[in-house]
């Protein structure tokens, strides 16, 4: 199978060779401890989370651009205060009100891909930048009430192109070089300035900030946020506090309404940083996951066809792009939920979860000193009955202190599993790296979240704050793109599953060839 891609991180190799707890040297100055055991990972993130903190290295990296946002705050009173203020943006009430923004964005993406298809014929193109633009438009709409018009501008540029002079990339795909609006380009510049490599991120980013172009782009984004804050406060005062709170259909209006009611408040700088984090996280993670989804669909026509039939059966308004928040749930559209969760499981958009030990503690029978960075790889989602993600513990002493899972052929190591039995099942032997949404369906055709291991959003107190937003965005985009297009096969030279690690784990190549469902390819008559 094409999706049996290479191991993502050195941490995966370390676990395979050294077991469920191992140590990996990182650079010349430090090391991390890798925990590759499902039960122990769950225990650490949910029941032992008070002994852990967000790791200092991640905080240092992201503090270069958002020093006062949730992502870079320790788990203290300030963090809790911020979470209380922005928390309502993740409730079903506000997500329901912001859904039209997501539908507008995916609708514009569909028009862009139709325009590209008209001039590309049977040739493919890369989906990555299109998905980044569409998810950014969606998140901007949800955050500020209006998108930045990235996809609208792309579509205008594509329709103005000469189809006889389209640039062709090295692998034979059409190489669209499209320019986004200034705000979007400036935001991406700030995203990509995050110093992910090197031991001194603050110094590295300080040098980056010295450039005139970076200062100009950062100033443009900051001025936009200042302007939106002023506009939101003026609007809230005109409506009155209670009315503003009831009608808020974007995150900024909701935060300002709460401020006006005296419920809670942040400084302007804190509000701007939380909004920028919302924009960064919602764009980067969702666009990357959707890029992987496109690749999986290209290689699984049977899944595409089944998903389309399922959506037509369960969602009467799906062709109009208007299914409600309640209709797009696991109970009503279980196969859609299965496709989304299977994409998250195999995409591994986040390669792992990092935490820092707050005091000396025992983990899997080993003493881990205070200050140690733990890495909990998401490869546990690929574990099946025949393929453990970590090597067995070897010594008789370790075995005597561990537990033997009756359904697996490996020692998972000493945990509190007897007191807290495993919540999820095991994937069928030999299937851990296969794309198969059916694994999430029970015998009654319902979606089963506990069918097997997967940890795309982490767990516990510091789990992904935007999980509900991400799931809504993925359900909207996947359902609408599936109804609009069949992702036809592409040349083998372009059908590559290699990855590159940035803030998330991107596919290096995300070529697609979306065609109408009326074509022979889509109908499966070839």
């Amino acid at each position: 199978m094409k999706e049996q891609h290479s191991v993502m991180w050195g941490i995966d190799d370390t676990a395979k060779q050294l077991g469920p707890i191992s140590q990996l040297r990182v650079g010349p100055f430090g090391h991390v401890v890798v925990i590759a055991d499902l039960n122990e990972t769950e225990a650490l993130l949910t029941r032992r989370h008070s002994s852990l903190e967000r790791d200092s290295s991640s905080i240092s990296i992201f503090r270069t651009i958002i020093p006062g946002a949730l992502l870079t705050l320790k788990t203290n009173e300030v963090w809790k205060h911020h979470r209380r203020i922005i928390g309502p943006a993740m409730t079903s009430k506000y997500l329901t009100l912001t859904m039209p923004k997501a539908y507008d964005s995916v609708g514009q993406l569909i028009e862009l891909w139709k325009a590209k298809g008209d001039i590309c014929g049977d040739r493919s193109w890369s989906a990555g930048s299109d998905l980044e633009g569409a998810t950014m438009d969606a998140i901007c709409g949800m955050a500020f009430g209006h998108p930045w018009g990235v996809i609208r501008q792309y579509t205008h540029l594509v329709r103005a192109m000469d189809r006889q002079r389209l640039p062709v990339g090295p692998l034979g795909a059409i190489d669209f070089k499209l320019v986004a609006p200034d705000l979007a380009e400036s935001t991406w510049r700030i995203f990509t300035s995050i110093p992910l490599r090197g031991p001194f991120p603050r110094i590295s980013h300080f040098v980056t900030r010295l450039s005139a172009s970076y200062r100009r782009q950062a100033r443009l984004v900051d001025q936009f946020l200042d302007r939106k804050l002023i506009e939101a406060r003026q609007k809230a005062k005109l409506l009155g506090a209670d009315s503003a709170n009831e009608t808020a259909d974007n995150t900024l209006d909701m935060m300002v309404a709460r401020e006006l009611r005296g419920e809670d408040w942040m400084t302007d700088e804190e509000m701007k940083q939380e909004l920028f984090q919302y924009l960064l996280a919602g764009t980067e993670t969702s666009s990357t996951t959707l890029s992987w989804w496109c690749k999986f669909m290209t290689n699984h026509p049977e899944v595409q066809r089944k998903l389309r039939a399922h959506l037509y059966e369960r969602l009467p308004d799906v062709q109009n792009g208007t299914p409600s928040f309640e209709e797009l749930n696991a109970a009503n559209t279980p196969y859609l939920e299965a496709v989304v969760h299977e994409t998250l499981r195999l995409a591994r958009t986040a390669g792992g979860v990092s935490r820092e030990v707050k005091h000396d503690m025992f983990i899997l029978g080993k003493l881990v000193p205070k200050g140690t960075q733990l890495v909990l790889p998401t490869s546990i989602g690929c574990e099946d009955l025949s393929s453990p993600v970590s090597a067995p513990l070897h010594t008789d002493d370790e075995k005597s202190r561990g537990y033997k899972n009756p359904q697996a052929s490996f020692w998972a190591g000493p945990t509190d599993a007897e007191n807290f039995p495993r919540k999820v099942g095991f994937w069928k032997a030999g299937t851990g790296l296969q794309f198969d949404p059916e694994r999430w369906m029970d015998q009654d055709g319902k979606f089963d979240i506990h069918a097997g291991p997967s940890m795309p959003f982490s767990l516990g107190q510091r789990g992904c704050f935007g999980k509900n937003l991400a799931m809504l965005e993925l359900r909207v985009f996947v359902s609408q793109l599936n109804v609009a297009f069949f992702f036809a096969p592409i040349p083998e030279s372009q059908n590559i599953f290699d990855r590159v690690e940035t803030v998330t784990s991107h596919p290096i190549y995300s070529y697609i060839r979306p065609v109408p469902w009326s074509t022979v390819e889509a109908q499966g008559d070839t």
Side-chain angles (χ1 to χ4, degrees):
M1 298 290 291
K2 276 284 181 180
E3 56 265 37
Q4 303 256 347
H5 31 256
S6 57
V7 174
M8 287 177 56
W9 285 8
I11 58 173
D12 291 355
D13 282 332
T14 300
K16 280 285 187 186
Q17 296 170 17
L18 301 180
I21 181 168
S22 56
Q23 184 171 292
L24 175 67
R25 181 170 294 279
V26 179
F29 302 106
H31 65 272
V32 299
V33 169
V34 180
I35 307 297
D37 176 78
L38 177 64
N39 273 42
E40 192 68 12
T41 294
E42 183 183 64
L44 287 167
L45 294 177
T46 58
R47 298 186 293 278
R48 306 180 70 185
H49 63 84
S50 61
S51 298
L52 305 177
E53 182 57 88
R54 183 158 177 80
D55 68 286
S56 300
S57 61
S58 295
I59 288 176
S60 295
I61 289 170
F62 287 102
R63 270 187 177 166
T64 55
I65 64 169
I66 44 172
L70 280 171
L71 188 64
T72 57
L73 293 174
K74 296 285 188 179
T75 312
N76 53 25
E77 290 305 314
V78 176
W79 178 84
K80 293 176 183 177
H81 175 67
H82 280 223
R83 185 149 182 154
R84 280 197 307 272
I85 294 175
I86 201 169
M90 300 302 157
T91 62
S92 58
K93 173 187 174 181
Y94 284 100
L95 290 175
T96 298
L97 291 172
T98 60
M99 274 187 78
K101 310 299 192 303
Y103 278 124
D104 288 346
S105 296
V106 73
Q108 290 177 23
L109 177 63
I110 288 168
E111 291 305 309
L112 171 63
W113 282 0
K114 286 179 179 177
K116 285 188 171 185
D118 287 344
I119 65 173
C120 286
D122 61 356
R123 293 170 294 182
S124 58
W125 66 85
S126 177
S129 61
D130 297 344
L131 291 167
E132 286 177 350
T135 52
M136 178 172 281
D137 275 346
I139 293 298
C140 282
M142 292 175 167
F144 311 117
H146 300 283
W148 285 345
V150 179
I151 298 302
R152 195 178 299 278
Q153 180 160 311
Y154 284 178
T155 304
H156 175 76
L157 293 171
V158 167
R159 286 175 174 161
M161 286 182 172
D162 181 354
R163 69 179 61 207
Q164 303 300 321
R165 303 179 62 181
L166 295 175
V168 178
L171 295 180
I174 302 301
D175 187 15
F176 289 98
K177 297 185 183 297
L178 304 176
V179 179
D182 288 345
L183 271 170
E185 291 287 352
S186 296
T187 300
W188 278 319
R189 172 72 171 91
I190 296 171
F191 283 1
T192 57
S193 74
I194 298 173
L196 298 173
R197 302 289 183 266
F200 306 110
R202 291 189 179 183
I203 296 175
S204 173
H205 200 259
F206 174 78
V207 174
T208 299
R209 295 198 303 272
L210 292 177
S211 74
S213 63
Y214 182 90
R215 293 199 303 272
R216 178 183 62 80
Q217 290 160 335
R219 185 166 57 251
L220 182 68
V221 173
D222 192 60
Q223 290 171 345
F224 167 80
L225 293 172
D226 281 333
R227 187 167 65 252
K228 296 306 292 184
L229 265 174
I230 293 171
E231 292 173 359
R233 286 183 174 132
Q234 291 173 341
K235 176 182 174 182
K237 286 179 181 178
L238 285 173
L239 291 171
D242 291 339
S243 180
N245 186 63
E246 285 301 313
T247 60
D249 64 352
N250 63 77
T251 303
L252 177 56
D253 283 356
M254 178 270 295
M255 294 169 71
V256 168
R258 287 171 61 85
E259 175 187 72
L260 190 61
R261 293 176 67 176
E263 292 180 356
D264 239 327
W265 66 279
M266 296 180 186
T267 66
D268 286 4
E269 189 59 32
E270 288 174 320
M271 289 181 74
K272 289 191 295 184
Q273 289 191 34
E274 290 295 353
L275 288 166
F276 193 75
Q277 175 189 254
Y278 185 93
L279 180 60
L280 181 155
T283 298
E284 176 73 10
T285 55
S286 294
S287 63
T288 299
T289 303
L290 287 167
S291 291
W292 286 111
W293 175 77
C294 288
K295 296 181 72 65
F296 295 139
M297 292 303 97
T298 297
N299 286 271
H300 292 276
E302 75 287 353
V303 173
Q304 297 187 67
R305 296 186 182 106
K306 179 170 181 176
L307 177 58
R308 183 171 183 261
H310 177 72
L311 293 172
Y312 272 90
E313 176 189 351
R314 298 299 181 97
L315 301 172
D317 291 330
V318 71
Q319 280 187 294
N320 301 322
T322 58
S324 68
F325 183 86
E326 291 76 17
E327 288 176 315
L328 283 180
N329 61 32
N332 188 52
T333 53
Y335 192 68
L336 169 63
E337 196 76 2
V339 170
V340 169
H341 275 266
E342 185 68 347
T343 299
L344 287 164
R345 185 187 72 85
L346 272 188
R348 293 186 65 192
T349 302
V353 176
S354 295
R355 293 290 184 267
E356 191 170 292
V357 175
K358 292 168 65 174
H359 53 76
D360 293 357
M361 61 188 298
F362 280 91
I363 302 175
L364 290 170
K366 306 293 184 181
L367 177 62
V368 179
K370 174 183 177 180
T372 300
Q373 181 181 346
L374 302 181
V375 176
L376 316 169
T378 53
S379 58
I380 59 173
C382 300
E383 182 175 75
D384 62 49
L385 279 171
S386 64
S387 302
V389 299
S390 62
L393 293 175
H394 299 295
T395 68
D396 291 338
D397 177 58
E398 286 172 320
K399 284 188 177 183
S400 67
R401 290 184 289 108
Y403 77 95
K404 183 84 160 57
N405 192 304
Q407 300 187 60
S409 58
F410 58 95
W411 288 93
T415 71
D416 57 355
E418 292 182 1
N419 295 326
F420 299 96
R422 182 182 174 112
K423 291 182 178 179
V424 302
F426 293 85
W427 302 130
K428 183 180 177 182
T431 70
L433 290 174
Q434 295 174 5
F435 183 86
D436 180 16
E438 299 289 344
R439 72 175 73 243
W440 295 97
M441 308 293 287
D442 67 16
Q443 60 184 6
D444 297 321
K446 297 178 181 179
F447 175 78
D448 179 9
I449 188 63
H450 299 300
S454 186
M455 196 179 65
F457 298 108
S458 185
L459 298 167
Q461 187 180 36
R462 292 301 296 245
C464 177
F465 177 69
K467 175 184 176 181
N468 292 342
L469 171 65
M471 287 300 298
L472 174 64
E473 196 175 7
L474 290 173
R475 289 170 187 144
V476 168
F477 271 75
V478 167
S479 61
Q480 294 301 299
L481 292 174
N482 173 260
V483 168
F485 300 111
F486 174 77
F487 290 85
I490 59 177
E492 284 298 305
S493 60
Q494 300 171 9
N495 195 24
I496 301 169
F497 277 76
D498 292 345
R499 304 175 175 260
V500 60
E501 300 292 339
T502 59
V503 174
T504 57
S505 179
H506 295 257
I508 296 177
Y509 304 103
S510 54
Y511 295 113
I512 59 170
R513 191 165 64 87
V515 302
W517 278 98
S518 57
T519 61
V520 172
E521 285 180 291
Q523 297 300 314
D525 294 335
T526 57

